[in-house]
Amino acid sequence: MSESKKVSLPVLGEVDRRTAVKAGAATLGLAAWAAAIKPWFEWTAELNTDEFLQKHYRELSPEQLQAILNRLTDDARKETGKAVTVKDHKPLPGVSFAYALNLSICIGCRKCAEACHVENNHDRPSHQSYIRVFEMQKGGIDFEKGDATYSHPVPAKDKYYMPVQCQQCENPPCVTACPIEATWQESDGIVVVDYYWCIGCRYCEAACPYHARRFNWEKPQVPAAEVNPNQSYLSNRVRPQGVMEKCTFCLHRTREGRLPACLEACPTGARVFGNVLDPDSEIRWVLENKRVFVLKEELGTKPRFYYFFDK
Amino acid sequence: MHYAGVTTYYRFLRRSLHVATDGGWLFYAWMLVLTAVALVGANAWAVQVRDGMVRTNMTDHVSWGLYIANFTFCVGLAAGGVMMVIPAYLYHDHDMHEVVIVGEVLAIAAIVMSTLSVVVDLGRPDRFWHLIPVIGKFNWPVSMLTWDIIVLNGYLFINLHVVGYLLYTRFRGRTPDPRWYVPFVLLSIVWAISIHTVTAFLYCGLGGRPFWNTALLAPRFLASAFVSGPAFILLVLRVVRVGTDLPVNPGPSRLLVQIIRVAAVVNLLMLASELFTLFYAGGSHLASARYLFFGDHGKHGLVPWIWSAIALNLIGTGLFFTPAALERGWVRPVACACVIVGIWIEKGMGLIIPGFIPSTLHEVVEYAPSLTEWKVTAGIWAFGLLLLTAMLKVTVAVFTNQMAEPVEAAGPGPTTGS
């Protein structure tokens, strides 16, 4: 319509005016666009170029990894004023971890969840933890009748308590789901996340049948005084915003021969942890002598986290 | 000769840009509103990236929300365009062949919208390069998400090629060489089915989510896509017929209505089959469906959504079956609007969200999209419609031979064609 008008007469003024208006509109549009996405640049200004270009954890040379650990340690020390160390704990040969939990003596005090919160430098305001403790109705193992938000003295009558955390599946659906191999299983059975590789698509969180994964919906806030200074690259260092995290069986402790924080915190001794390849270990004794079961066995995920009743 | 080819192509691009940004007052108002909404969306997204996904109402319990819901619908929209391609190329429907490019153009815009819907859902969009094969770490063939990335990008490029080739050859006044586009068109038919199948596999492949873990999901996705896609095309064809000089015969639209009639009934039948299995057998698989349709533990957040979807789908399907739907009147656009909105809810708020409620450990945590999520989603739609409008403008101009330059502007360069 307007096209035919232009062609009919050599009215150059009309064409030029339109071009000028269009150019003006385009300039305005670009300016508006720049203003609209300004918050993006406020955010990228705080980012580190090395971190942006960093390769996948498993492709880093020992020197590159060391440089990253040094940088992380320096940054954490500057930020907290504490003697933080960020190490890289490798899986030990001949070790395959397993966890067992005695449901007969767990009283649902949530000390394990609290210890996890502190040990793993979790976000304080959201009171994040890798462990959720369910108050269950005696007479079955039915989560539909369970409640993880109870707030009354424990143990309550006719209830038992079921803490649930990452089951460190031998056949982990979260690892299969990840489009970029940002999460994988290590030789000792622990499933880890490279916080610098994860893009935060949360497909693993949808895939996990145990509600074991957590997302950093914002930058985790941990007051400097409360930061746990003993940190590891793949476990409890303070996570970046927008990435997944999960229980690592406290690999920064367990790969040094210590026990997970949740186990140490348990006042009833309901938790048993160890190397199943060690015939003299307590975990081996439990697996051989107690009638243990796993959650959602029918899914074929093969958890390394076992439950059992004592009486 | 080579040089001439480059300048001709450059001229095509320049003329396309001109035509795509030129129109009447209504056109400018439309583009201005879309641009404004897109900017609001872009701003909301930038703020979300800066402050974190805490700006959304998603939680560790409901870890996917409106974005992935909208993504699923847009993939269906893109696949729906194939319902013009099949009659045009496999059944040699002459009238459909005339307008089939509208379906391919819509597919391009819809794929762009689905990709954007995933990008805005990422916690770390700055690490997007990790997804690029070779330089990143592409977990193919294990992760279904990598399959989805491949099929969606493949579909985008196939359609870009077909549309680009057809427009450019017509611009040059030549007859398109079938060898250069028919194989791609045929490939696009298979590919269209694959994009929605793989998208369904993303969800139904998860053993821990009983509500999604059904073999009927992919067929259901396809059936509903063959309703929403053609319905959207019918609306676009109406706008093209009323608003442009492109002649649009009544035949293609009638055929699309016939296709919708079949697909809508198949979709409702599969929905009924799914619901029967869930509710009659009961058990743990029922939990999400019960929450979705009737509420659970005193929580009813999705109940209004799903019943609206069912009502809209039934009304829309009913209207499509009236004889008036075959005529050019108001019944057809109303029916289209009903099924588009109905299926948008059914596939999103009625399918993605209840997959997370109750959670895998049966906790009922509700979800309703935040203002940020609505703004970003509206922005994606506005951007998609901008793209669609611009591409349709060029298409119409090429097909009605209105791409010629104003007489004065013709310089000493090579002349059109040769």
Side-chain angles (χ1 to χ4, degrees):
Chain A
M1 292 144 269
S2 52
E3 206 74 24
S4 57
K5 195 168 72 184
K6 268 185 277 172
V7 181
S8 62
L9 276 170
V11 195
L12 280 171
E14 168 72 0
V15 176
D16 285 348
R17 193 178 62 84
R18 271 185 172 252
T19 314
V21 169
K22 273 190 192 180
T27 316
L28 264 178
L30 281 176
W33 172 256
I37 59 165
K38 199 165 150 263
W40 165 281
F41 293 104
E42 291 166 12
W43 177 68
T44 48
E46 290 175 18
L47 293 183
N48 185 323
T49 320
D50 294 340
E51 186 193 310
F52 172 71
L53 295 171
Q54 187 176 317
K55 287 193 287 186
H56 189 278
Y57 169 81
R58 288 195 288 182
E59 287 177 356
L60 294 168
S61 69
E63 297 77 38
Q64 286 172 324
L65 182 61
Q66 194 51 54
I68 292 163
L69 295 175
N70 292 345
R71 193 188 78 218
L72 285 171
T73 302
D74 288 349
D75 289 353
R77 284 182 181 179
K78 254 179 247 160
E79 218 165 282
T80 62
K82 286 173 104 171
V84 175
T85 50
V86 184
K87 292 192 211 158
D88 175 46
H89 294 83
K90 297 281 185 212
L92 304 171
V95 171
S96 182
F97 287 125
Y99 215 140
L101 199 145
N102 186 343
L103 294 169
S104 298
I105 57 176
C106 173
I107 53 168
C109 65
R110 295 201 186 106
K111 286 270 196 288
C112 52
E114 179 61 30
C116 173
H117 178 70
V118 174
E119 176 69 28
N120 288 302
N121 290 317
H122 276 292
D123 180 45
R124 292 301 190 260
S126 60
H127 213 82
Q128 190 63 276
S129 172
Y130 297 137
I131 304 174
R132 274 183 98 71
V133 183
F134 286 78
E135 185 174 72
M136 306 285 281
Q137 186 66 47
K138 279 186 180 167
I141 304 169
D142 186 358
F143 281 99
E144 263 190 75
K145 294 181 190 133
D147 175 19
T149 57
Y150 60 91
S151 55
H152 50 73
V154 288
K157 196 172 178 299
D158 290 331
K159 306 283 185 190
Y160 70 99
Y161 298 86
M162 191 144 191
V164 182
Q165 63 204 77
C166 177
Q167 310 282 303
Q168 314 288 0
C169 307
E170 219 178 297
N171 192 4
C174 52
V175 171
T176 312
C178 181
I180 49 165
E181 297 179 40
T183 186
W184 65 94
Q185 187 169 42
E186 301 232 295
S187 63
D188 56 3
I190 297 174
V191 174
V192 292
V193 179
D194 182 349
Y195 308 130
Y196 277 167
W197 193 256
C198 172
I199 55 171
C201 73
R202 305 188 300 291
Y203 193 27
C204 57
E205 197 168 25
C208 174
Y210 305 101
H211 186 61
R213 291 189 156 248
R214 303 285 185 272
F215 184 69
N216 287 283
W217 301 95
E218 58 186 322
K219 177 116 192 67
Q221 295 168 40
V222 190
E226 295 177 23
V227 167
N228 175 3
N230 302 318
Q231 302 180 9
S232 195
Y233 186 85
L234 292 174
S235 65
N236 66 337
R237 70 185 167 100
V238 178
R239 273 74 66 190
Q241 171 177 303
V243 301
M244 294 306 305
E245 56 172 272
K246 63 181 291 299
C247 164
T248 60
F249 276 176
C250 283
L251 64 80
H252 52 283
R253 297 167 63 105
T254 52
R255 284 180 181 173
E256 286 184 352
R258 298 161 67 206
L259 291 164
C262 48
L263 187 149
E264 279 189 357
C266 179
T268 65
R271 289 169 170 266
V272 181
F273 179 84
N275 176 12
V276 281
L277 299 181
D278 174 4
D280 300 325
S281 62
E282 196 184 352
I283 184 74
R284 184 75 170 259
W285 186 89
V286 168
L287 296 186
E288 280 172 4
N289 294 286
K290 297 288 180 184
R291 280 172 292 163
V292 297
F293 68 93
V294 294
L295 286 184
K296 304 194 186 188
E297 188 179 3
E298 70 280 8
L299 296 180
T301 50
K302 298 192 183 165
R304 286 167 181 275
F305 199 103
Y306 299 86
Y307 294 91
F308 63 101
F309 290 96
D310 222 3
K311 354 176 201 186
Chain B
M1 276 298 117
H2 183 66
Y3 172 76
V6 170
T7 46
T8 311
Y9 192 66
Y10 168 71
R11 202 158 48 80
F12 169 67
L13 292 181
R14 201 160 47 86
R15 291 304 301 163
S16 297
L17 185 67
H18 174 79
V19 166
T21 54
D22 216 59
W25 282 111
L26 195 61
F27 169 76
Y28 284 125
W30 167 246
M31 296 300 259
L32 197 66
V33 169
L34 290 182
T35 307
V37 176
L39 284 171
V40 168
N43 178 251
W45 175 66
V47 170
Q48 174 194 293
V49 170
R50 184 191 63 195
D51 297 353
M53 301 292 279
V54 69
R55 287 278 183 165
T56 72
N57 277 351
M58 289 183 269
T59 57
D60 281 322
H61 287 91
V62 186
S63 51
W64 278 343
L66 188 63
Y67 300 150
I68 298 299
N70 191 53
F71 157 77
T72 313
F73 177 83
C74 289
V75 174
L77 202 55
V82 80
M83 281 299 156
M84 293 181 91
V85 177
I86 290 176
Y89 286 92
L90 295 188
Y91 292 89
H92 304 290
D93 181 314
H94 178 74
D95 286 347
M96 189 62 95
H97 209 289
E98 293 284 291
V99 288
V100 65
I101 196 160
V102 171
E104 291 157 344
V105 164
L106 173 65
I108 294 172
I111 288 285
V112 169
M113 287 197 282
S114 6
T115 309
L116 287 177
S117 299
V118 176
V119 170
V120 298
D121 193 59
L122 296 180
R124 296 304 295 241
D126 56 316
R127 298 183 186 163
F128 196 78
W129 68 272
H130 295 181
L131 277 166
I132 301 169
V134 187
I135 66 161
K137 244 180 162 350
F138 202 54
N139 192 14
W140 186 84
V142 177
S143 171
M144 281 319 296
L145 207 49
T146 58
W147 283 86
D148 217 29
I149 292 164
I150 291 171
V151 292
L152 289 177
N153 282 300
Y155 195 62
L156 177 63
F157 285 115
I158 292 170
N159 280 291
L160 278 176
H161 167 72
V162 170
V163 170
Y165 178 76
L166 289 179
L167 290 182
Y168 185 53
T169 42
R170 284 196 76 139
F171 169 76
R172 296 179 72 188
R174 294 179 175 182
T175 314
D177 182 346
R179 285 176 304 174
W180 278 103
Y181 73 101
V182 171
F184 292 97
V185 169
L186 298 180
L187 182 63
S188 83
I189 294 174
V190 187
W191 215 284
I193 311 286
S194 84
I195 59 169
H196 221 22
T197 307
V198 172
T199 302
F201 286 179
L202 275 185
Y203 312 118
C204 69
L206 303 179
R209 305 266 171 205
F211 187 65
W212 296 340
N213 191 212
T214 158
L216 203 51
L217 202 66
R220 258 182 78 192
F221 271 21
L222 287 169
S224 59
F226 296 154
V227 178
S228 59
F232 204 90
I233 291 167
L234 283 173
L235 293 181
V236 173
L237 284 176
R238 175 67 61 97
V239 172
V240 168
R241 181 170 66 81
V242 175
T244 74
D245 305 333
L246 190 74
V248 178
N249 289 326
S253 293
R254 284 189 188 149
L255 185 56
L256 287 172
V257 172
Q258 304 280 14
I259 289 169
I260 290 175
R261 285 176 174 179
V262 177
V265 172
V266 172
N267 184 37
L268 288 174
L269 183 73
M270 286 200 273
L271 179 66
S273 169
E274 190 84 271
L275 292 180
F276 168 79
T277 316
L278 285 168
F279 282 98
Y280 196 82
S284 70
H285 285 229
L286 178 57
S288 289
R290 200 175 49 210
Y291 168 75
L292 174 62
F293 282 90
F294 305 110
D296 197 12
H297 290 84
K299 290 172 176 165
H300 306 89
L302 293 182
V303 175
W305 287 99
I306 194 65
W307 289 107
S308 312
I310 300 233
L312 286 166
N313 282 341
L314 287 174
I315 294 168
T317 307
L319 286 177
F320 273 120
F321 271 91
T322 59
L326 289 175
E327 305 304 322
R328 289 171 163 170
W330 61 270
V331 173
R332 197 191 289 163
V334 171
C336 289
C338 284
V339 295
I340 290 170
V341 177
I343 288 170
W344 185 84
I345 299 173
E346 184 195 306
K347 275 185 160 159
M349 296 304 284
L351 188 115
I352 303 305
I353 313 305
F356 294 97
I357 311 174
S359 77
T360 47
L361 298 178
H362 285 277
E363 289 182 81
V364 181
V365 175
E366 298 205 277
Y367 163 84
S370 72
L371 185 60
T372 297
E373 289 172 88
W374 283 117
K375 282 182 188 170
V376 171
T377 305
I380 289 172
W381 271 94
F383 183 76
L385 290 174
L386 266 178
L387 208 59
L388 181 65
T389 311
M391 287 188 292
L392 284 173
K393 286 278 288 179
V394 176
T395 306
V396 169
V398 169
F399 276 60
T400 53
N401 301 317
Q402 291 180 10
M403 285 287 271
E405 306 236 10
V407 182
E408 272 69 27
T415 46
T416 324
S418 52

